[in-house]
Amino acid sequence: MIPVISRRHLLSYRTLLFLFVVIILSGCSSTKTVPEGDALFAGYDIKVKNEEDSSNRELGTDLDGPVRPKPNASILGLKPKLWIYNAFYTEKEKGLKHWIQTKLGEPPVLLSEVDTSSINDIMRNQLLNKGYFNNSVESTTTIEKKKANIEWTTSVSEPYRIRKVEYTLNDSLPVHQAIRATSSESLLIPGEPYDLSTMTAERVRIDGELKEKGYYYFSPENLIFSVDTTAGNRQADVLLRVKRDAPSQALQPYTLDDIYIFANYFLGDSLSTSDTIDVRGYHYVPNEDYVKAKHLLRGVFLRQDSLYTRSDQLLTVNRLMGLPAYKFVNVQFEDDTASNNQLDAFIYLTPAMKKSLRAEARMVSKTNGFAGPGITASFRNRNTFRGSEQLNVELTGSFENQIGGNRTSGEDTNSETDTNNNGLTSYELGVQTTLTFPRIMSPFHLPNLRTEFVPKTRIGLGFNFLNRVQYFQMNSFNATYAYNWRPKKTLTFDVTPINLQYVQLANTTPEFDALLADRPYLQRSFENQFIIGSIYQATFSTQVYEDHTHQFYNSTTLDLSGNVVNALYSLFGSEAPQEDYPRTLLGQRYSQYTRIDNDFRYYLNIGEESQIATRFIAGVGFPYGNSSVMPYVKQFAIGGPNSIRAFRARSIGPGSYDFYANQTDNNLSYFDQTGDIKLEANIEYRFPIVGFFKGALFVDAGNVWLIKDTYTETGEVEKPGGKFEFNNFTKELAVGTGFGLRVDVEFFVLRFDFGIPVQVPYLPEGQRNVLNDFKFGFSGENSMTLNIAIGYPF
């Protein structure tokens, strides 16, 4: 009798065998290409003996820098890049093996490449710079089986501390008075340990303060520190002064005289200031044929007869660089020939290509799980009305199919219903026109914002045609008037005071009509209707600081519709709206609701390439007045490649509602599984594998709910279990986990995520945890879900 091994056991055996082989190969081959008489630099350790040090400073991190070269990259004790190098090693300088060896592999780091003597000296100097004037550094090398490990041992005692800081300055000179005025903000604090890097930063800080007071030619090199350590008891007196040979130009403040703006400058042009027009004290060269001066000067913060400041210079450069009409901006200063303490400013602006036409084929990947080929043709004019206004006209077309695997449930996945599960296809055609003004266009006079980012006014007009094959067609018209501004790097406001949208359902099929007839709630959400309101969004993000260990992102959106129109109806005495007799606009119902959602993210950067990314989304929509349900396009949904990846898009919710209990066409669930409330949480660990291949481990959880139950014509609850109950919602969370592979080539990320269901909310209580019944593969109940997408999920 031939023994039968289950698929699960077979998988376990294969996995263990694979891991065993990888470990054996990695261990045996790591020294394969190490020359005789040498050893692989396998690792190192730095020990700091600082029992007498009360500063509590972490020195190991600082001393790690001088160790060069670093050992080969390691993951869980394995060195995959070194293994690839050895496995595909060849002396040939071409061919596939050579390409894999050099591009994906990494040659062994040899002990002979590590100069311990020089590293010891650098470590001693770094300790001296930290105030440890009495220190020692030693290294010990251990070699075993051609693998070398080095241990550095450093001994330090109590560091020298700053006793006092003095400014040896001549008060008769204005620059000395200006330096002394900054002493209250000094980085050098009595009692703190001596640190050369802090003294260097102090020079930069003083230079920055002086640049804001007109000292254009001053530089940190004009300052010198003297340190006196003879006070005893490990104390140091710090003396600051200006170098005696500092140039006279650096010691006086400058004001601005003539300001020239070359608005149509190209490299190599012969410059002349004779053909100019004077506008509000500026010399505009040569004329206004390209960009009108009144619009350009909104981005110029240099003023004649004002004191030079670096902030005004940088603000001018950044604002002008933000204008679409220009691709290069350069600001230079020269001594005024008629005065020895004035500067002439020259602003050189190089135009960008005014008009462009672009066509591209692309792979469409949406948050709702649809993916497929698409094409986009766009026209762009970067200077439409000679005010750097940018006009974009974009034509799009796409053919899409919902991907991402099956809905995880207990039904027989070999049945006829499952064959429809991935058959939801659609095609989409659209045109969107956007005109962006690099300024705030308002009927009220508003001051020019002092921000390095150009404030914008955006006008949009568009049409979109969507055809969900075999179900319905939808026409959507939109018009918007919006403002966008960033008062600082981390904060962005986007306000759309006018947001108009008309949604029209057309050409429905009998199958879809039957679904709407059975579900009055869904039918009302699909009605032809106007969305007339405003959208307000505030976004805070510290991701602009790429070197930060902790990064935060938070975006809050408030979406309002129908309130102003409804107020006008009430003001003129119109009858109150009723469910069967709503108020209309041009013969069509208009929506009235308030929708608010918040997207919070936290990123913990571990090392250079690893990261823990977390996200929490909460949203709620309230229909009222002229609406009893939220418009379909404004309802919340969950699942899919950018959401809970163990479940197909819109295949769960609301709550514990089970759509499949009464339906045979699984695709119809896509339209019916939406809600008024959404909660979602994600955590993902991202790590490098080799080259541009990245990996991820993730856990997702969430669901959508209804604010209130809705009923059929017979009085039955339309979606049992769909209403949000505070005491019960945690039991109705869909939970999934999984792993991912990403191909990250900087400008493009192709993502493959394999979702594994953990908790299925629409199953009966007590049966929702399905992890123990997980089946490896993509078919059958409780199997994996494959998500293919472009870009990271969050």
Side-chain angles (χ1 to χ4, degrees):
M1 179 177 179
I2 300 176
V4 178
I5 301 176
S6 69
R7 184 176 181 181
R8 183 180 301 176
H9 290 155
L10 182 60
L11 171 64
S12 300
Y13 298 152
R14 288 177 177 175
T15 302
L16 292 175
L17 180 61
F18 174 75
L19 292 176
F20 177 77
V21 171
V22 168
I23 293 173
I24 294 298
L25 290 177
S26 177
C28 294
S29 63
S30 60
T31 59
K32 176 181 176 181
T33 56
V34 175
E36 290 298 326
D38 210 335
L40 176 71
F41 180 30
Y44 65 94
D45 188 25
I46 300 175
K47 295 184 178 179
V48 180
K49 297 181 178 179
N50 57 346
E51 293 83 1
E52 300 178 8
D53 180 11
S54 63
S55 66
N56 295 321
R57 288 187 289 183
E58 180 58 51
L59 298 178
T61 302
D62 296 323
L63 297 177
D64 184 78
V67 180
R68 289 289 186 273
K70 300 292 185 184
N72 293 101
S74 175
I75 300 176
L76 299 177
L78 306 178
K79 301 179 184 295
K81 298 183 74 173
L82 175 61
W83 182 88
I84 292 174
Y85 181 90
N86 290 335
F88 293 89
Y89 178 78
T90 176
E91 295 183 357
K92 297 181 180 179
E93 296 186 357
K94 59 181 179 179
L96 178 61
K97 290 185 66 176
H98 173 75
W99 185 89
I100 296 176
Q101 173 194 343
T102 56
K103 298 299 181 181
L104 303 182
E106 180 182 69
V109 178
L110 304 177
L111 177 63
S112 59
E113 300 173 3
V114 184
D115 188 347
T116 55
S117 178
S118 296
I119 294 174
N120 293 350
D121 291 340
I122 296 174
M123 287 184 175
R124 293 189 192 99
N125 288 332
Q126 288 198 342
L127 292 171
L128 289 173
N129 294 339
K130 289 287 185 181
Y132 299 99
F133 297 148
N134 298 315
N135 70 74
S136 64
V137 178
E138 297 178 349
S139 61
T140 303
T141 302
T142 303
I143 303 176
E144 184 177 351
K145 296 181 179 179
K146 297 186 73 174
K147 295 181 180 179
N149 286 275
I150 304 177
E151 180 180 282
W152 276 276
T153 303
T154 67
S155 298
V156 298
S157 55
E158 184 69 14
Y160 276 70
R161 296 179 180 271
I162 298 174
R163 187 177 71 163
K164 61 181 180 180
V165 181
E166 293 184 347
Y167 295 82
T168 55
L169 303 172
N170 182 356
D171 288 339
S172 63
L173 293 177
V175 67
H176 291 171
Q177 298 176 23
I179 293 174
R180 192 181 298 279
T182 71
S183 61
S184 62
E185 304 294 329
S186 176
L187 303 177
L188 302 175
I189 302 174
E192 290 295 313
Y194 169 93
D195 194 323
L196 181 61
S197 63
T198 303
M199 298 172 67
T200 302
E202 174 68 2
R203 294 202 312 171
V204 174
R205 184 196 68 82
I206 293 175
D207 174 65
E209 293 284 349
L210 293 180
K211 286 293 193 297
E212 295 304 302
K213 298 179 180 180
Y215 291 90
Y216 173 75
Y217 288 107
F218 198 87
S219 69
E221 287 71 26
N222 295 137
L223 294 171
I224 188 171
F225 284 102
S226 299
V227 181
D228 183 3
T229 60
T230 62
N233 197 27
R234 297 182 183 270
Q235 296 185 96
D237 295 336
V238 179
L239 308 176
L240 171 69
R241 65 179 176 86
V242 177
K243 289 182 179 179
R244 296 184 179 88
D245 58 352
S248 59
Q249 283 182 315
L251 306 182
Q252 63 177 355
Y254 284 80
T255 59
L256 300 179
D257 188 18
D258 293 319
I259 302 174
Y260 297 90
I261 302 175
F262 296 86
N264 197 7
Y265 171 77
F266 289 92
L267 187 65
D269 284 356
S270 57
L271 302 179
S272 173
T273 58
S274 58
D275 184 15
T276 67
I277 58 174
D278 290 336
V279 183
R280 290 186 286 176
Y282 297 91
H283 305 298
Y284 201 78
V285 186
N287 49 49
E288 293 190 288
D289 286 344
Y290 190 63
V291 176
K292 295 179 181 179
K294 67 177 182 179
H295 297 313
L296 184 64
L297 293 181
R298 292 175 181 270
V300 179
F301 292 87
L302 304 175
R303 302 286 186 265
Q304 189 176 34
D305 297 328
S306 67
L307 199 66
Y308 164 82
T309 66
R310 178 188 284 170
S311 60
D312 286 341
Q313 177 185 350
L314 296 178
L315 187 58
T316 298
V317 172
N318 288 327
R319 284 290 288 270
L320 294 178
M321 279 295 296
L323 298 179
Y326 295 104
K327 63 177 179 179
F328 298 121
V329 176
N330 186 22
V331 179
Q332 297 181 2
F333 297 90
E334 296 181 7
D335 290 334
D336 186 74
T337 55
S339 176
N340 61 357
N341 63 348
Q342 286 191 314
L343 299 171
D344 291 335
F346 299 87
I347 303 174
Y348 303 101
L349 304 171
T350 302
M353 181 183 296
K354 183 179 179 180
K355 298 178 182 179
S356 62
L357 184 63
R358 181 177 181 178
E360 62 180 20
R362 69 192 192 283
M363 177 68 179
V364 179
S365 177
K366 298 183 178 179
T367 58
N368 60 14
F370 278 87
I375 187 170
T376 298
S378 60
F379 168 77
R380 177 174 297 176
N381 187 331
R382 296 179 176 85
N383 192 24
T384 307
F385 303 121
R386 291 194 298 162
S388 195
E389 303 88 357
Q390 180 165 287
L391 174 67
N392 283 322
V393 180
E394 188 172 85
L395 302 173
T396 59
S398 62
F399 177 82
E400 305 162 0
N401 185 75
Q402 190 180 34
I403 61 175
N406 300 326
R407 177 195 199 243
T408 300
S409 68
E411 74 266 22
D412 182 6
T413 56
N414 293 322
S415 67
E416 183 180 353
T417 61
D418 188 63
T419 62
N420 296 328
N421 200 34
N422 287 322
L424 186 56
T425 60
S426 71
Y427 62 84
E428 193 170 0
L429 300 173
V431 56
Q432 185 69 37
T433 300
T434 305
L435 180 62
T436 304
F437 298 84
R439 50 193 174 272
I440 298 296
M441 305 282 289
S442 169
F444 311 102
H445 175 72
L446 298 174
N448 191 18
L449 299 175
R450 274 188 67 89
T451 170
E452 61 183 299
F453 303 97
V454 177
K456 299 175 183 177
T457 301
R458 186 176 64 250
I459 300 175
L461 185 65
F463 167 75
N464 192 76
F465 170 75
L466 173 66
N467 186 357
R468 298 288 191 215
V469 177
Q470 298 179 351
Y471 294 107
F472 66 83
Q473 295 176 356
M474 181 177 287
N475 300 314
S476 178
F477 305 84
N478 70 81
T480 59
Y481 188 91
Y483 300 113
N484 178 279
W485 74 95
R486 294 178 66 180
K488 54 184 179 180
K489 285 184 178 181
T490 57
L491 188 61
T492 303
F493 293 103
D494 198 281
V495 175
T496 307
I498 301 176
N499 176 49
L500 305 179
Q501 189 172 355
Y502 176 65
V503 181
Q504 180 189 45
L505 185 65
N507 295 333
T508 58
T509 64
E511 293 85 355
F512 192 69
D513 288 336
L515 176 69
L516 297 183
D518 291 340
R519 287 165 169 74
Y521 175 89
L522 185 64
Q523 185 179 40
R524 290 192 296 271
S525 70
F526 265 98
E527 287 181 341
N528 298 344
Q529 57 193 298
F530 284 99
I531 297 174
I532 305 175
S534 305
I535 300 176
Y536 307 90
Q537 184 178 60
T539 302
F540 172 80
S541 175
T542 62
Q543 291 179 282
V544 291
Y545 304 114
E546 296 181 357
D547 59 335
H548 284 196
T549 301
H550 306 278
Q551 295 176 329
F552 297 90
Y553 171 93
N554 192 82
S555 180
T556 303
T557 304
L558 176 63
D559 186 349
L560 307 172
S561 176
N563 297 320
V564 174
V565 178
N566 212 55
L568 291 175
Y569 269 102
S570 299
L571 182 64
F572 288 100
S574 177
E575 293 185 4
Q578 299 179 18
E579 174 59 32
D580 295 330
Y581 300 98
R583 290 170 175 173
T584 61
L585 185 66
L586 300 178
Q588 299 291 341
R589 177 199 290 261
Y590 60 87
S591 297
Q592 189 174 8
Y593 64 83
T594 295
R595 184 183 191 268
I596 184 171
D597 61 88
N598 192 84
D599 182 348
F600 172 79
R601 307 175 189 180
Y602 166 66
Y603 302 89
L604 174 62
N605 295 311
I606 307 171
E608 294 184 0
E609 296 186 73
S610 298
Q611 183 185 70
I612 296 178
T614 61
R615 178 178 66 176
F616 177 72
I617 299 175
V620 59
F622 300 94
Y624 50 85
N626 206 49
S627 297
S628 59
V629 299
M630 295 286 292
Y632 179 74
V633 294
K634 295 293 183 178
Q635 292 176 358
F636 294 103
I638 205 163
N642 291 340
S643 182
I644 304 179
R645 285 159 280 185
F647 300 85
R648 197 181 66 173
R650 302 184 183 225
S651 65
I652 49 178
S656 59
Y657 168 64
D658 188 359
F659 173 90
Y660 296 85
N662 300 308
Q663 289 289 331
T664 58
D665 188 348
N666 291 357
N667 283 326
L668 290 173
S669 69
Y670 178 84
F671 310 111
D672 198 31
Q673 299 198 252
T674 58
D676 307 313
I677 300 172
K678 178 178 180 178
L679 294 175
E680 181 180 342
N682 315 84
I683 183 169
E684 180 171 286
Y685 172 53
R686 301 166 182 170
F687 54 89
I689 298 179
V690 58
F692 45 73
F693 291 101
K694 314 292 182 183
L697 301 173
F698 57 82
V699 177
D700 307 316
N703 207 335
V704 294
W705 292 267
L706 301 175
I707 289 181
K708 60 182 179 180
D709 282 326
T710 57
Y711 299 89
T712 63
E713 294 180 354
T714 60
E716 298 178 355
V717 176
E718 189 175 340
K719 297 182 180 180
K723 182 182 177 182
F724 180 83
E725 301 287 352
F726 182 79
N727 296 329
N728 201 46
F729 81 94
T730 55
K731 300 178 182 178
E732 298 176 341
L733 292 175
V735 181
T737 186
F739 57 94
L741 175 67
R742 288 85 191 272
V743 182
D744 187 347
V745 289
E746 296 185 0
F747 61 91
F748 179 85
V749 177
L750 181 60
R751 174 164 56 95
F752 301 88
D753 283 339
F754 301 84
I756 300 172
V758 176
Q759 180 168 294
V760 180
Y762 47 78
L763 294 178
E765 285 195 52
Q767 302 178 26
R768 293 176 180 173
N769 191 321
V770 299
L771 188 59
N772 292 333
D773 299 322
F774 167 68
K775 294 181 179 179
F776 187 83
F778 302 103
S779 62
E781 57 183 290
N782 304 325
S783 59
M784 286 196 302
T785 300
L786 172 61
N787 299 273
I788 304 175
I790 297 172
Y792 286 96
F794 54 91

